[in-house]
Amino acid sequence: MTTVAVLGGGMVGVCCALELQRRGMTVTLIDRREPGQETSYGNSGVLARSSLMPMNNPGLWKALPKLLSNRTTSLRYHLPFLLKNIRWTAGFLARARGRAFQETTTALDALIRLSIDEHLSLMAQAGALPRLRDNGWLMLYRSEAGFDAAAMGRACYASYGVRSEILDPGALAEMEPSLSPIFHRALWIKDAHSVDNPSALVAAYAQLFADRGGVIRRSDLRDVIPDGSGWSVTDTDGSRHQTDRVVVALGPWAPEFMSRIGIHVPMGFERGYHMHYGAEGNATLARPIYDTAGGYVLSPMEQGLRLTTGVELTDRDAPRNLSQLTSATSAARQAFPLGAALDPAPWMGRRPTLPDSRPIIGEAPGRSGLWLAFGHQHIGFSTGPGTASILADLMTEAAPAIDPAPFRPGRFLH
Ligand SMILES: Cc1cc2nc3c(=O)[nH]c(=O)nc-3n(C[C@H](O)[C@H](O)[C@H](O)COP(=O)(O)OP(=O)(O)OC[C@H]3O[C@@H](n4cnc5c(N)ncnc54)[C@H](O)[C@@H]3O)c2cc1C
């Protein structure tokens, strides 16, 4: 029987492990932590068809002068990082228009649709359906100008058939009565789900994998080296694990790992923070909201109301900068009666982003048996299952459920 080692136990790796196991392979899932403790832990838990629009979209050009001020809550950047990674920066900007953008939205739409179907099936199998809400999410606009500026997004959603509805303040108040009446309009994305604890969902999928005989190993990985017709995975204490195939699903740590085998991955790190808050009185939220002017998402979670920040483009491990979280929290307090902060310290994660905002899914060029699944930017929590489906189809030479070409590793790896 074919043996596979899946490196990385985030949403992407766990879904790959489950799917390859389903296809009859003997799978070991390896992570230095418990599954779902890194990027897949702290996200907003939104699974939305509207996420087909990447950050590098044609609207970026108009917003650029404001964004370059480096004062907006939605985006901050560290210039030396952008200059040091000029290939990524130039590639990211170049793809914010024209055919590349079109190809990305089409590819991501297919991946998201496939993934949502797969998530619903996996949640049922893992007994995790009680974590799911299917009441959409809300994009909120504080002014007519803000609403108008988002017209391109609405046109894009409409062209892909994403179900949505524009709400006036009255309709918004009916839907979310605890919001302050500061929003001029809202867009209710109906084609969206959310969960109340992303990390617990990854853990439930990992448990399903283990219940079906999968092995989960805790190990700090160092390297992979060719070994006969397969691969040898080594960890930092020198132990080795021999396997026929390897899947690298290390999220933002993938470039560091790949560089050890001589493969350069042009990845940007879109860092984001979260903090949980209580609510004053009986205030509640029924679904996640995105305050577009405030630059944050507020999601009801098991742990409290999770406020997640926009993008901080910098080195993966640069010192924390809490200025976005501070401004986002002030903006959120205008919108909702937030109570006290509930965590001892803010959480920080890194959205792993390739220049065209599409993940890499497939076999590494020239390295037979080395498979790759990383670079899922803002949507890896949603698109883990679809990624696993494509990867398993390619590995078993089955007809892929969707076109895998937009995700081929050869776009950036040689
Ligand atoms: C603030 C924020 C909000 C977000 N909101 C959403 C959202 O609402 N919806 C959505 O779909 N996505 C969202 N995302 C994006 C999503 O969280 C990521 O795309 C996704 O979690 C990436 O999953 P992954 O499995 O690739 O990476 P990870 O979850 O980071 O998994 C990688 C794993 O590799 C392991 N690892 C790394 N190096 C080693 C090593 N040397 N040895 C052993 N193990 C190692 C890590 O421990 C980790 O478990 C958000 C991200 C952020 C930061």
Side-chain angles (χ1 to χ4, degrees):
M1 206 183 270
T2 306
T3 56
V4 187
V6 176
L7 316 187
M11 180 55 95
V12 175
V14 170
C15 289
C16 289
L18 262 171
E19 186 58 27
L20 295 172
Q21 178 188 57
R22 199 176 71 83
R23 311 271 180 129
M25 298 178 209
T26 300
V27 184
T28 304
L29 176 67
I30 309 176
D31 199 300
R32 59 186 166 206
R33 305 187 65 182
E34 291 297 322
Q37 291 301 307
E38 290 284 359
T39 330
S40 301
Y41 172 89
N43 56 68
S44 310
V46 176
L47 321 167
R49 284 203 56 209
S50 52
S51 302
L52 62 95
M53 266 255 297
M55 193 173 97
N56 51 344
N57 65 66
L60 183 64
W61 295 104
K62 208 164 164 203
L64 211 51
K66 196 171 164 201
L67 295 176
L68 285 176
S69 74
N70 223 359
R71 287 169 194 274
T72 65
T73 308
S74 53
L75 176 85
R76 299 279 165 93
Y77 62 91
H78 185 57
L79 190 58
F81 170 79
L82 295 183
L83 295 176
K84 190 174 73 185
N85 295 286
I86 196 70
R87 190 177 151 205
W88 181 88
T89 309
F92 187 77
L93 288 172
R95 289 172 178 87
R97 62 170 133 225
R99 221 181 61 202
F101 168 71
Q102 207 71 48
E103 281 169 8
T104 295
T105 49
T106 302
L108 294 186
D109 182 50
L111 184 63
I112 292 168
R113 279 189 288 123
L114 173 65
S115 298
I116 291 176
D117 290 347
E118 300 272 333
H119 260 307
L120 296 179
S121 160
L122 283 175
M123 283 184 211
Q125 295 168 53
L129 277 174
R131 300 211 168 275
L132 183 73
R133 288 177 294 248
D134 66 355
N135 55 0
W137 79 312
L138 286 166
M139 297 183 178
L140 306 176
Y141 304 93
R142 295 186 181 214
S143 66
E144 191 65 28
F147 183 71
D148 288 349
M152 200 211 79
R154 289 193 295 281
C156 178
Y157 306 150
S159 72
Y160 284 93
V162 178
R163 288 180 308 119
S164 67
E165 185 179 327
I166 296 169
L167 306 179
D168 63 18
L172 176 62
E174 255 176 54
M175 199 174 266
E176 294 291 356
S178 301
L179 284 177
S180 315
I182 59 168
F183 296 105
H184 179 77
R185 301 266 188 118
L187 186 69
W188 176 26
I189 304 290
K190 296 177 175 176
D191 271 332
H193 298 76
S194 58
V195 298
D196 70 353
N197 188 334
S199 169
L201 185 64
V202 180
Y205 289 179
Q207 188 59 51
L208 185 64
F209 167 74
D211 290 345
R212 292 175 175 171
V215 174
I216 302 180
R217 265 189 45 200
R218 283 282 287 275
S219 168
D220 192 359
L221 296 157
R222 194 182 59 199
D223 212 350
V224 282
I225 42 175
D227 187 352
S229 60
W231 291 86
S232 210
V233 179
T234 60
D235 64 19
T236 47
D237 69 14
S239 60
R240 281 172 159 227
H241 174 88
Q242 280 180 308
T243 178
D244 297 327
R245 290 172 193 168
V246 174
V247 177
V248 179
L250 293 168
W253 291 272
E256 182 183 55
F257 191 80
M258 297 294 289
S259 71
R260 298 195 191 124
I261 48 175
I263 298 181
H264 172 74
V265 178
M267 185 180 279
F269 304 105
E270 300 186 47
R271 300 202 321 185
Y273 300 81
H274 89 212
M275 173 60 83
H276 293 106
Y277 294 93
E280 283 180 2
N282 296 325
T284 52
L285 270 186
R287 54 181 68 69
I289 59 162
Y290 170 32
D291 178 353
T292 53
Y296 64 88
V297 170
L298 197 60
S299 303
M301 294 283 176
E302 217 168 34
Q303 301 96 325
L305 288 163
R306 177 177 292 181
L307 185 147
T308 46
T309 63
V311 169
E312 180 194 24
L313 273 171
T314 187
D315 282 303
R316 192 191 66 201
D317 298 327
R320 288 166 176 239
N321 176 350
L322 298 181
S323 61
Q324 271 167 300
L325 183 62
T326 305
S327 344
T329 304
S330 310
R333 289 195 184 284
Q334 295 163 1
F336 185 90
L338 283 185
L342 302 176
D343 304 325
W347 172 88
M348 186 190 78
R350 304 99 172 150
R351 305 170 182 95
T353 304
L354 294 158
D356 58 7
S357 291
R358 299 175 218 152
I360 279 179
I361 308 170
E363 194 170 28
R367 317 277 171 125
S368 174
L370 181 65
W371 291 78
L372 312 175
F374 54 74
H376 290 74
Q377 45 111 346
H378 296 228
I379 56 171
F381 183 70
S382 338
T383 55
T387 299
S389 164
I390 301 176
L391 185 102
D393 285 337
L394 292 170
M395 208 186 263
T396 57
E397 296 180 2
I402 61 170
D403 181 10
F407 308 110
R408 67 193 182 284
R411 283 147 46 229
F412 300 114
L413 314 186
H414 306 289

